[in-house]
Amino acid sequence: TLLACEIDKAARETILANKPEIPLIGDIRDYSSKQILDLAGVKSGSDIDLIMGGPPCQAFSTAGKRLGLEDERGNVFIKFLDIALEIRPKYIVIENVRGLLSAPLKHRPHNERGEGLEPLKEEEKPGGVLHYIIRIIKDAGYSVSFNLYNSANFGVPQTRERVIIICSKNGKRVPFLQPTHSEGGEYGLPKWLTLRETISDLNDIMHDYVPFPEKRLKYYRLLKEGQYWKHLSEDLQKEALGKSFFLGGGKTGFLRRVAWDRPSPTLVTHPAMPATDLAHPEHLRPLSVQEYKKIQQFPEAWEIKGKLLDKYRQLGNA
């Protein structure tokens, strides 16, 4: 890697601590492609093999307001793409959340759509952002393939779905990625890696974690590994979830103990928020920073910098 780009303060500290030799830039909007090549120590016109990145995805996330490219972070995506296409590497790889598949180019508030209201315009329909991005890439002469991949199918002890877009300068069709693992050993592949085989060697260490509030521990004492709020009695479900009990949706993140013999669920940026609990299968605590690091397959020697919540956020986003 000749150059890294990161705007988050704690993540920058982590990169500098572990890879001090790599030039590190901040907000990509502050740089031209020429400046980036200069900082990377590459002559203009040199062959670059790969530019890869996960430009900010909150603009497309189903958890947010989904303003897409109207969101300032959405524009960072286009800036990343512009710079990559100007540098013209052999390949460009872009990683993003599954919400990118359905994000519209222009967001129309939910209270302004529906029966009796003006139908959605083309740019307000799902998938507009992805079509727009692919058009930019193809107009620059690159071929492009995209797919939704689950990291558990590639030997990661975590089920995490992400869209991977692969672009090739030679214009040839880019093949889809071939899984290396399968859930139950189908197709003669090794089975998914489990949480048990990933973190069981971390028993005798000091764990850093955010404690659960005492009132939540009452319920965790009743839940076994792999269980969540639905495994409580109905009275306790209503007591534990309060108003959320009557909301729609699966609410699978409430009071969730992870299972030993499955991959971890998608690691979140805070494992002790009411709707995104990731409790240890047995202990009365969330998964620790050390367990997060192991599940995300960081090298053991890799040092994560910042305060406790900074570490969780970096590892959850990684």
Side-chain angles (χ1 to χ4, degrees), residues 53-58 60-61 77 94-100 148 161-165:
C57 53
Q58 292 92 331
F60 312 123
S61 172
F77 195 115
I94 305 166
E95 174 267 349
N96 221 284
V97 290
R98 76 173 292 156
L100 178 66
L148 183 69
E161 287 188 321
R162 289 295 181 266
V163 175
I164 307 287
I165 303 172

Side-chain angles (χ1 to χ4, degrees), residues 84-142:
L85 292 169
E86 277 173 27
I87 291 173
R88 298 196 71 74
K90 291 176 190 167
Y91 292 95
I92 303 167
V93 174
I94 305 166
E95 174 267 349
N96 221 284
V97 290
R98 76 173 292 156
L100 178 66
L101 296 174
S102 55
L105 258 179
K106 198 169 169 54
H107 176 75
R108 187 193 290 190
H110 290 277
N111 60 356
E112 292 173 22
R113 44 177 139 160
E115 221 174 306
L117 295 166
E118 191 188 343
L120 291 177
K121 298 189 177 83
E122 203 54 45
E123 68 268 25
E124 293 172 331
K125 288 180 181 170
V129 169
L130 188 61
H131 284 296
Y132 179 71
I133 288 163
I134 286 171
R135 198 166 70 238
I136 293 173
I137 295 165
K138 285 186 169 172
D139 286 351
Y142 279 73

Side-chain angles (χ1 to χ4, degrees), residues 43-302:
K43 288 191 180 75
S44 201
S46 296
D47 252 3
I48 304 285
D49 289 314
L50 170 69
I51 291 178
M52 65 175 196
C57 53
Q58 292 92 331
F60 312 123
S61 172
T62 52
K65 286 185 184 161
R66 300 197 64 168
L67 296 175
L69 296 178
E70 295 172 74
D71 188 305
E72 189 185 344
R73 294 167 299 199
N75 291 331
V76 179
F77 195 115
I78 298 302
K79 174 72 175 181
F80 168 83
L81 204 50
D82 286 347
I83 284 181
L85 292 169
E86 277 173 27
I87 291 173
R88 298 196 71 74
K90 291 176 190 167
Y91 292 95
I92 303 167
V93 174
I94 305 166
E95 174 267 349
N96 221 284
V97 290
R98 76 173 292 156
L100 178 66
L101 296 174
S102 55
L105 258 179
K106 198 169 169 54
H107 176 75
R108 187 193 290 190
H110 290 277
N111 60 356
E112 292 173 22
R113 44 177 139 160
E115 221 174 306
L117 295 166
E118 191 188 343
L120 291 177
K121 298 189 177 83
E122 203 54 45
E123 68 268 25
E124 293 172 331
K125 288 180 181 170
V129 169
L130 188 61
H131 284 296
Y132 179 71
I133 288 163
I134 286 171
R135 198 166 70 238
I136 293 173
I137 295 165
K138 285 186 169 172
D139 286 351
Y142 279 73
S143 60
V144 58
S145 102
F146 67 90
N147 208 344
L148 183 69
Y149 294 104
N150 182 348
S151 61
N153 290 330
F154 297 88
V156 179
Q158 178 184 182
T159 54
R160 189 181 190 103
E161 287 188 321
R162 289 295 181 266
V163 175
I164 307 287
I165 303 172
I166 307 177
C167 322
S168 173
K169 188 169 75 170
N170 67 14
K172 290 182 182 163
R173 188 178 163 274
V174 185
F176 294 125
L177 305 179
Q178 292 296 318
T180 58
H181 292 66
S182 61
E183 184 168 5
E186 297 87 349
Y187 315 109
L189 296 172
K191 287 182 180 179
W192 281 356
L193 292 184
T194 67
L195 187 74
R196 192 189 297 277
E197 53 195 318
T198 306
I199 66 167
S200 49
D201 62 342
L202 295 179
N203 285 337
D204 306 323
I205 64 159
M206 280 285 292
H207 288 270
D208 298 307
Y209 59 88
V210 186
F212 284 128
E214 185 57 42
K215 63 180 184 188
R216 230 180 291 169
L217 293 180
K218 167 185 170 180
Y219 308 112
Y220 275 121
R221 290 188 179 98
L222 302 170
L223 292 169
K224 299 184 176 71
E225 56 111 6
Q227 295 187 330
Y228 68 122
W229 66 273
K230 275 201 169 164
H231 294 92
L232 299 168
S233 69
E234 192 169 329
D235 288 351
L236 283 175
Q237 289 178 24
K238 287 178 179 169
E239 179 186 298
L241 267 67
K243 287 178 187 164
S244 301
F245 178 83
F246 301 98
L247 295 175
K251 301 188 281 284
T252 50
F254 282 91
L255 297 170
R256 174 173 51 177
R257 269 202 189 275
V258 292
W260 272 127
D261 295 315
R262 285 191 61 75
S264 159
T266 304
L267 292 184
V268 291
T269 53
H270 192 314
M273 295 296 272
T276 59
D277 274 5
L278 283 175
H280 187 278
E282 290 168 18
H283 301 308
L284 290 171
R285 61 166 176 81
L287 292 174
S288 67
V289 163
Q290 289 77 8
E291 287 158 347
Y292 257 54
K293 190 175 149 189
K294 199 92 187 217
I295 291 164
Q296 287 283 43
Q297 298 182 314
F298 273 84
E300 209 163 309
W302 197 279

